[in-house]
Amino acid sequence: MEMMLLTKSQDEVFHIRQAQAYVQGKWHVWDPKITTPPGLYLVSWVQMQFAGLVGYGKLDARRYRIINQLAVFFLAWILQQLIAYISGIRASKPTTSKDKSGTTKQPLSYLAHTTVNVLLFPLLFFFYGLYYTDTLSVLSVLLTYYFHLQGKQKSLVVSGLASLLFRQTNVFWVVVYLAGLQMQRVLPRGKPSIEFPSQPTIRDIIEGSWTHSCTFDPFVDESGVEDYFKTAISFVVAIVTNLTTVLWALSPYAVILLVFIEFTFWNGGVVLGDKSNHVATIHLAQMLYLWPYLVFFSFPFICPSLLDATIPPQYLPSFLCKSTSETRQTRLMIPITFMALMLAVVHYNTIVHPFTLADNRHYMFYVFKLLRTHSTLKYFAVPIYFSCAWGSLVAVAGPIRSGTKANSYAHPITPKRTKPSTGDATGEEGQRASWLLIWLATTTISLSTAPLVEPRYCILPWLIWRMHLPTLGPRASYELWLETLWFLLINAVTGYMFLYRGFEWKQEPGEVQRFMW
């Protein structure tokens, strides 16, 4: 890319021009076409300070792009730390081992391979060699997540505020998501059959949460649809009974939120620059597009679960089988209800931004061109949305324990376990229902307020989801290597299209336009 693109490409023109203004000391200059904060340009100014180039005239694009290439090394380190923490992998364990409970722990090779795969994620990989905000934006959010896990509140506040300098929507991940995890951390979790009955009703949940000041928070693969409502109610009650503790625990995130609100009032809105074309709106269809996005990039982890749910086990290889035939008895009302809601969203809340249909350099132009070939086609996509959502949530649930036997299909996620498990929700155990609710809520808020459908907006939802996938399972090695090959193939194709399949617009003769995300 460095050899081919000696000049600025695509929207780099605006970013590099703004960075050059700062490097030349023109702090009052702001390009109205830029809608994101100036964090990238401030970092470039610091970079040029160290290089002794502040005050110089126009510098070539390569001098600005190098900041993202250097950031990849920091991104690799922070990803490794996060994946190790979430997966429960100890750096001192060079080989596969067992903990005190007999649970097999993943070797460091899994940690290294997963880190490399995440770094190869096409939406990140593509922009490592260009001057865009995405790499530093993701790095700042993940660094804040790291400080949250480490309990370093001062560093968390500084890093969280810094993340807002790269992208405004980062506020959802450093405030809403992390604050939700903090509540999950500080609120006591009730024990099955002690604080709550084995099959609690809504009344049991309210009484148990109020009496014992604790939460009802089963594992995802133990949870039916009704259990997510019970979990949400339980957290509300537990927050009230632990109000002082919760308020104190959330104070660092409140500081970040208050600063963001103050900026919004000062700026007259969230968006900098071109406000008229980036007005926040309710766009629930964004959540429908998310699920095919996850499946497209992570099908090695999602498709086995979908196949297992739809094809009789005798026709599947053993490493693809997850459930028994008894878990396939489906309650049809649940998928029908969800698909009815999706149809309503498609009909009443599909928004096609003018930018989407005006720029044929971006792949989303061709996706929406396909969806608009016939007025009914968008409705036929609803079963695809539902299937992809189902598979994505199944993948998060984790392995079903041996001996598990469910007599009904409780919900479109995973079958219930009759015997509850214990322990913290690491990657080995699968995730808690509260984590899934927090992730869904944060993703919904961050995506559904944007009228423009942009694949880069889904980078953080994918990253967080991917890091929380279970680490154990008989097909883990197959999935990782298939993911590696898939990402390499996508990167090769998109890189080739970008570098070698350029074209010209009639209105801009002599200017090479390039395909990109």
Side-chain angles (χ1 to χ4, degrees):
M1 193 173 285
E2 284 296 331
M3 293 174 65
M4 291 286 296
L5 300 179
L6 300 179
T7 58
K8 299 177 283 291
S9 174
Q10 309 289 87
D11 293 343
E12 269 193 325
V13 173
F14 308 114
H15 293 302
I16 292 178
R17 188 164 59 202
Q18 184 60 50
Q20 287 174 339
Y22 279 17
V23 169
Q24 295 168 14
K26 300 176 182 178
W27 298 100
H28 62 285
V29 173
W30 184 259
D31 190 330
K33 292 186 178 293
I34 297 176
T35 59
T36 51
L40 177 64
Y41 322 125
L42 293 174
V43 172
S44 291
W45 180 82
V46 173
Q47 170 200 350
M48 299 307 175
Q49 282 276 21
F50 280 104
L53 297 174
V54 169
Y56 275 61
K58 293 184 178 180
L59 302 171
D60 64 68
R62 289 177 297 178
R63 289 193 180 272
Y64 292 98
R65 292 174 184 151
I66 194 173
I67 193 66
N68 281 335
Q69 296 160 16
L70 293 174
V72 174
F73 294 98
F74 294 98
L75 185 60
W77 177 81
I78 200 67
L79 280 170
Q80 185 183 45
Q81 298 299 311
L82 289 172
I83 294 168
Y85 189 98
I86 294 168
S87 303
I89 299 173
R90 298 185 179 91
S92 60
K93 301 287 185 180
T95 59
T96 302
S97 61
K98 291 187 177 181
D99 61 13
K100 294 180 180 179
S101 65
T103 301
T104 303
K105 289 197 169 293
Q106 290 290 344
L108 288 185
S109 60
Y110 170 88
L111 175 60
H113 197 162
T114 303
T115 302
V116 170
N117 279 5
V118 175
L119 285 171
L120 287 173
F121 179 54
L123 267 297
L124 277 175
F125 185 85
F126 186 88
F127 294 100
Y128 292 155
L130 297 174
Y131 191 66
Y132 281 75
T133 61
D134 301 274
T135 304
L136 290 178
S137 175
V138 168
L139 177 61
S140 64
V141 172
L142 295 185
L143 185 62
T144 308
Y145 193 3
Y146 171 78
F147 289 136
H148 161 82
L149 295 176
Q150 296 294 318
K152 298 179 179 179
Q153 295 187 349
K154 293 180 180 178
S155 299
L156 179 148
V157 172
V158 173
S159 178
L161 291 173
S163 73
L164 302 184
L165 291 174
F166 296 101
R167 197 177 288 279
Q168 298 94 318
T169 52
N170 287 346
V171 70
F172 301 122
W173 294 99
V174 300
V175 174
V176 179
Y177 177 71
L178 294 184
L181 295 188
Q182 184 69 356
M183 286 192 294
Q184 186 191 48
R185 174 188 286 175
V186 301
L187 293 175
R189 185 183 301 135
K191 298 180 178 62
S193 302
I194 299 179
E195 285 86 359
F196 302 103
S198 58
Q199 297 293 331
T201 63
I202 295 292
R203 182 174 180 177
D204 294 330
I205 294 298
I206 295 173
E207 290 180 353
S209 299
W210 182 267
T211 303
H212 302 288
S213 299
C214 63
T215 62
F216 173 78
D217 194 9
F219 285 102
V220 170
D221 61 332
E222 294 173 336
S223 304
V225 169
E226 69 280 0
D227 290 320
Y228 292 95
F229 292 101
K230 293 175 183 178
T231 299
I233 293 170
S234 173
F235 266 74
V236 171
V237 175
I239 288 170
V240 173
T241 59
N242 296 274
L243 191 58
T244 303
T245 301
V246 170
L247 290 177
W248 178 254
L250 297 185
S251 56
Y253 312 95
V255 171
I256 301 173
L257 180 61
L258 289 173
V259 172
F260 180 77
I261 293 173
E262 176 63 26
F263 157 77
T264 303
F265 279 110
W266 170 80
N267 184 54
V270 174
V271 177
L272 292 167
D274 188 9
K275 294 183 175 66
S276 61
N277 285 311
H278 295 82
V279 178
T281 186
I282 298 176
H283 190 189
L284 296 176
Q286 292 268 30
M287 283 303 294
L288 303 184
Y289 308 143
L290 171 69
W291 307 116
Y293 179 100
L294 294 181
V295 171
F296 176 76
F297 289 109
S298 298
F299 79 90
F301 302 98
I302 297 173
C303 285
S305 297
L306 282 175
L307 291 173
D308 184 44
T310 56
I311 299 177
Q314 61 266 30
Y315 299 113
L316 286 174
S318 59
F319 67 89
L320 287 178
C321 293
K322 181 177 180 179
S323 62
T324 65
S325 59
E326 293 185 57
T327 66
R328 300 172 184 273
Q329 301 173 21
T330 310
R331 294 197 310 199
L332 290 177
M333 284 306 298
I334 290 175
I336 290 173
T337 301
F338 276 99
M339 282 194 280
L341 292 173
M342 289 179 174
L343 282 169
V345 169
V346 168
H347 184 74
Y348 294 106
N349 200 227
T350 295
I351 299 173
V352 182
H353 197 282
F355 285 2
T356 302
L357 301 179
D359 195 340
N360 64 346
R361 297 173 300 181
H362 298 281
Y363 296 120
M364 289 310 301
F365 170 89
Y366 301 96
V367 173
F368 274 88
K369 185 178 180 180
L370 174 64
L371 289 173
R372 290 166 63 88
T373 53
H374 195 277
S375 59
T376 60
L377 189 59
K378 61 182 180 181
Y379 300 108
F380 285 105
V382 166
I384 297 175
Y385 298 147
F386 176 79
S387 300
C388 291
W390 182 355
S392 301
L393 299 179
V394 167
V396 173
I400 303 297
R401 306 301 188 275
S402 58
T404 298
K405 185 177 180 181
N407 55 20
S408 68
Y409 198 87
H411 59 107
I413 298 178
T414 45
K416 281 194 175 186
R417 291 183 300 202
T418 55
K419 182 180 179 181
S421 59
T422 59
D424 295 332
T426 66
E428 297 167 345
E429 293 281 348
Q431 300 306 322
R432 296 277 179 178
S434 60
W435 177 85
L436 188 56
L437 288 174
I438 293 165
W439 178 80
L440 281 172
T442 309
T443 302
T444 301
I445 297 171
S446 64
L447 294 182
S448 298
T449 53
L452 180 63
V453 179
E454 169 62 72
R456 290 183 294 164
Y457 295 168
C458 296
I459 290 176
L460 281 170
W462 180 88
L463 272 176
I464 302 299
W465 174 86
R466 175 64 183 86
M467 289 191 297
H468 285 80
L469 288 182
T471 62
L472 288 181
R475 56 180 183 259
S477 179
Y478 299 98
E479 292 168 345
L480 281 175
W481 281 109
L482 188 56
E483 182 184 43
T484 304
L485 295 174
W486 180 235
F487 283 175
L488 289 174
L489 176 62
I490 295 174
N491 289 331
V493 172
T494 53
Y496 171 80
M497 294 295 292
F498 181 75
L499 293 173
Y500 299 104
R501 300 292 290 181
F503 61 97
E504 291 185 6
W505 285 340
K506 292 181 180 179
Q507 63 271 30
E508 295 183 13
E511 287 287 330
V512 179
Q513 310 299 331
R514 301 181 184 276
F515 293 106
M516 64 186 303
W517 292 107

